[in-house]
Amino acid sequence: MIDSRLQRFLRSPVVWPLAGLALLLVVNLIHNPDFLKIGVLEGHLFGAPVDIFNQGARTFVVALGMTLVIATGGVDLSVGSVMAVAGATAGLCITSGHTSLPLVLAATLGAGALAGLLNGILVAYAGVQPIVATLILMVSGRGIAQFVAHGDVLLIKHPGFEYLGKGFLLGLPFAAILAGLLYLVAQAALRRTAAGLFIEAVGDNPVASRFAGLATARMKCLAYLLCGLCAALAGAMDAANIGAADPYRSGENMELDAIFAVVVGGTALNGGRFTLAGTFAGVLLLQTLSPTLVFLGVPPPVASVPKAILILVVCVLQSDRAGRWLRGLLPKKEVA
Amino acid sequence: MKPALQRRLPLIVTAAVLAVLYVAAGLNYDHFFSLGVAADLFTDNAALGIAATGMTLVIFSGGIDLSVGAVVGFTSILVATLVEKKGVPPVLAAALALGVGTVLGAGMGALIHYFRQPAFLITLAGMFLMRGSAYWISTDPTGLSHPALTKLTLWDWPLGETAALKLSAVVLLAVLVAGGVIGHFTRFGRNLLALGGSEQSALLMGLPVASTRIGVYALNGFFASLAGLALMLNSGSGNPRDGIGLELDAIASVVIGGTLLTGGRGNILGTLLGLLIFGVIQSAIRFDGRLDPAWTRIIIGALLLGFILLQRLLGRLGRRA
């Protein structure tokens, strides 16, 4: 009885990032008892938790798309570059005088959709391995972004667009609300319909799902398309947040952060199983980790060391071999 | 199409692309056809070429290593800091850096093999580990002033009146030869190709799968560190930012060279051709002076796309035949 509960607890994917998050919160609260305090300034909420949600919004939007791609058994390495392309597109539209917000957003998201579609066609229809297919855009995407932005950082002065990244709605950061809405929509669209199941089926066994009558290639292509859209939205939010489209730095290392959040959240890297709640918890863990490391005196450029170690540990723990070891440990404990 | 021709077609296409690019650049820009420019192709891309040779061997085995760029940055700042700030003899510092690269590679190979984890994920983590560690040593570049290192930086092998190969280019040529011998004329190389072709078959044939896989990542780590040393000598300073994006250029050179990314088939000679294509595009853009350097990345991306599609097409033709 206890054994089965323990095993179920160990198997539930969301538990791990939540436990990590709790640990980080404890460390932070010991260091700074006011860590969770939320204040009100000029009608806006502020405080460390608000910052975490605000900063995490972009990572979450990217990770959401990444979750779908990873669930189909693929991966998208181009998200960081697509963010830069999307930001540069928005910057180009605004600086060249096309300032109507729907137009800017359509152009930005269109760029992302195009990038996602290219990845999707290469993976789903040409049968190229996902790492390689998305590597192409990862390499050339930054070049395209620099080309679109004429090699400059484009300053964006557009109140409507900037609202996307630094606006406040009812005292809450708009970016976080947007990410939350996206989460609810995705959860409803994937889990209240069969779409999520289809994606998992494609990731689990593409041949079997094709024989079962699923349009496997179309499903895969759709996942990459959605991932591209998500990355473009995140790119727009990033450009809006800093008030500039930076083709060099925007979305830098985003692919690792997104994969990190997805993997830590318990989505299987070889596909066939995904959890959006886990990804959400993974992003929260990641975003809480950054300020914690600063508190602990780790300079920001070095922060990738503990992140890398954590991701390696999670990978090893999730592997079958480690699973066998853990399962081997459990009965022994009972005997003792 | 004859199978032999079909197998060599990617290499032939690569050679043709290189020839077309080189001739086009030579006809468009004055003084492009000179021994000096040709020698500089090797010197300027020494680090990339060394890393690409190791990457070719990893890709032979069906793997990939995204950490090489970060290892280059780490080696560069580690050796410069040890020599310039801690007074460690250069030979010892270089040996230490090569050791770290090799051990890191072996560790990643072991994680990939024993825990059945995707190579790109483990090496992506390795990339962030090494880049972060490089910044940990120092976030600022360190200039080289140790007499032995300055001597090595300035050393060159004259090829004529106006052309010379720097030490890094000589190392690159040595590494290419070594990589060619390892990849094509040793048991280890054949094991790599067998492993890349089909791990199951390699295992059933009784080939040492574990030691081959761990060995190739260790070898690649060694080459990546060597690339870091070459870059440090070329630039005359150690910089933790060295080699950002180098892994992508290395993979691009390998793929453009006709090595199959799924493993099991490839050619070090192709990697050299891919490297030279890279170098010619870069020099041409530098010669032109009007073109945006961003074009290098876009052209490389387009070439990458073209060659990957060519590989798929040939793969399909091969199955039908």
Side-chain angles (χ1 to χ4, degrees):
Chain A
M1 183 64 194
I2 292 170
D3 189 38
S4 79
R5 240 193 237 168
L6 190 65
Q7 280 197 352
R8 218 168 51 212
F9 177 77
L10 281 176
R11 272 191 208 140
S12 166
V14 189
V15 164
W16 289 101
L18 285 182
L21 187 62
L23 184 71
L24 285 179
L25 286 181
V26 170
V27 170
N28 274 309
L29 283 173
I30 292 171
H31 236 275
N32 170 15
D34 289 340
F35 184 73
L36 286 179
K37 210 169 144 190
I38 295 176
V40 180
L41 186 73
E42 296 172 4
H44 304 329
L45 294 179
F46 79 99
V50 179
D51 281 345
I52 289 172
F53 277 98
N54 198 5
Q55 294 296 323
R58 275 162 274 154
T59 318
F60 178 70
V61 171
V62 177
L64 194 70
M66 187 70 86
T67 309
L68 299 183
V69 167
I70 290 182
T72 66
V75 74
D76 189 346
L77 295 181
S78 70
V79 285
S81 297
V82 172
M83 277 178 74
V85 173
T89 311
L92 183 72
C93 283
I94 291 170
T95 47
S96 63
H98 303 281
T99 50
S100 132
L101 191 59
L103 185 83
V104 173
L105 285 181
T108 310
L109 294 179
L114 211 61
L117 195 64
L118 176 71
N119 286 334
I121 289 174
L122 281 176
V123 172
Y125 295 102
V128 180
Q129 301 146 278
I131 325 170
V132 181
T134 54
L135 190 70
I136 297 174
L137 263 185
M138 187 185 180
V139 174
S140 51
R142 293 237 165 244
I144 295 172
Q146 286 161 29
F147 177 68
V148 169
H150 304 296
D152 282 330
V153 174
L154 300 174
L155 293 179
I156 294 175
K157 286 211 164 37
H158 187 297
F161 184 75
E162 283 176 83
Y163 189 75
L164 210 54
K166 44 188 172 191
F168 280 84
L169 186 66
L170 306 172
L172 290 167
F174 180 70
I177 293 177
L178 188 65
L181 279 178
L182 207 61
Y183 171 70
L184 291 179
V185 169
Q187 188 74 4
L190 293 169
R191 289 308 188 195
R192 299 276 156 176
T193 69
L197 196 65
F198 288 172
I199 287 181
E200 289 182 325
V202 169
D204 198 26
N205 190 334
V207 179
S209 13
R210 199 158 56 87
F211 286 158
L214 261 181
T216 316
R218 208 181 305 158
M219 263 346 267
K220 274 195 186 175
C221 194
L222 190 69
Y224 285 91
L225 179 67
L226 289 175
C227 188
L229 274 175
C230 285
L233 180 61
M237 286 159 76
D238 192 42
N241 187 48
I242 56 174
D246 185 344
Y248 300 95
R249 305 296 300 276
S250 175
E252 214 180 26
N253 295 348
M254 188 50 104
E255 51 284 342
L256 183 86
D257 281 355
I259 295 173
F260 175 96
V262 174
V263 172
V264 170
T267 293
L269 249 178
N270 20 19
R273 170 163 61 85
F274 75 88
T275 144
L276 293 179
T279 301
F280 184 65
V283 172
L284 280 185
L285 175 68
L286 181 75
Q287 290 297 333
T288 315
L289 188 62
S290 307
T292 311
L293 289 173
V294 174
F295 279 144
L296 295 177
V298 180
V302 184
S304 63
V305 173
K307 278 188 202 166
I309 292 174
L310 193 59
I311 208 168
L312 286 175
V313 169
V314 170
C315 278
V316 167
L317 283 178
Q318 276 189 347
S319 68
D320 289 344
R321 185 177 277 252
R324 276 203 301 278
W325 285 350
L326 284 178
R327 251 165 275 144
L329 287 177
L330 288 178
K332 268 186 216 153
K333 261 187 201 159
E334 233 174 33
V335 170
Chain B
M1 214 185 288
K2 279 185 194 152
L5 177 67
Q6 195 181 318
R7 212 170 44 235
R8 297 212 175 89
L9 192 65
L11 201 59
I12 296 169
V13 174
T14 309
V17 169
L18 175 61
V20 168
L21 279 175
Y22 188 67
V23 171
L27 294 179
N28 269 316
Y29 309 116
D30 292 338
H31 312 298
F32 197 87
F33 283 135
S34 74
L35 200 56
V37 172
D40 283 350
L41 283 182
F42 287 89
T43 304
D44 292 345
N45 294 299
L48 174 59
I50 297 168
T53 309
M55 185 71 81
T56 314
L57 296 176
V58 171
I59 292 179
F60 274 11
S61 78
I64 199 141
D65 190 345
L66 300 178
S67 73
V68 291
V71 173
V72 165
F74 177 79
T75 305
S76 159
I77 188 66
L78 176 71
V79 174
T81 308
L82 282 180
V83 172
E84 300 296 336
K85 301 215 171 124
K86 308 276 179 221
V88 177
V91 177
L92 201 65
L96 182 71
L98 291 171
V100 171
T102 313
V103 169
L104 174 85
M108 291 192 302
L111 283 179
I112 292 165
H113 182 78
Y114 289 116
F115 292 96
R116 310 245 139 244
Q117 291 297 309
F120 86 88
L121 183 70
I122 297 294
T123 56
L124 196 66
M127 162 178 160
F128 282 86
L129 188 68
M130 294 319 273
R131 188 64 72 191
S133 305
Y135 288 132
W136 201 349
I137 296 174
S138 163
T139 44
D140 299 315
T142 303
L144 298 179
S145 56
H146 190 281
L149 289 181
T150 359
K151 214 170 168 185
L152 286 177
T153 307
L154 296 174
W155 183 89
D156 56 19
W157 184 18
L159 293 175
E161 281 169 19
T162 52
L165 281 181
K166 292 278 224 182
L167 180 64
S168 55
V170 177
V171 174
L172 165 64
L173 292 176
V175 165
L176 278 168
V177 171
V181 170
I182 292 171
H184 297 294
F185 299 102
T186 64
R187 186 175 294 172
F188 179 69
R190 280 192 293 278
N191 289 348
L192 281 179
L193 288 168
L195 178 59
S198 162
E199 183 176 351
Q200 197 99 43
S201 312
L203 203 63
L204 290 174
M205 277 198 293
L207 299 182
V209 170
S211 65
T212 305
R213 185 170 282 146
I214 296 170
V216 76
Y217 282 100
L219 185 66
N220 187 42
F222 176 82
F223 280 154
S225 293
L226 200 59
L229 293 178
L231 195 59
M232 183 190 78
L233 286 182
N234 262 359
S235 62
S237 71
N239 189 342
R241 283 178 185 77
D242 272 350
I244 289 182
L246 186 89
E247 59 281 346
L248 303 177
D249 295 347
I251 295 169
S253 308
V254 174
V255 174
I256 291 172
T259 293
L260 221 54
L261 257 167
T262 41
R265 191 187 293 170
N267 206 318
I268 297 273
L269 184 64
T271 301
L272 171 62
L273 297 178
L275 178 73
L276 290 177
I277 288 182
F278 216 94
V280 168
I281 295 174
Q282 257 170 352
S283 322
I285 285 174
R286 221 179 16 241
F287 262 73
D288 190 280
R290 286 165 300 171
L291 285 171
D292 200 317
W295 276 106
T296 313
R297 308 223 71 87
I298 300 176
I299 297 172
I300 289 295
L303 277 177
L304 203 54
L305 179 64
F307 275 89
I308 286 169
L309 290 178
L310 178 73
Q311 281 187 2
R312 296 301 308 172
L313 192 70
L314 288 177
R316 272 189 199 166
L317 284 177
R319 246 172 282 141
R320 209 169 293 161

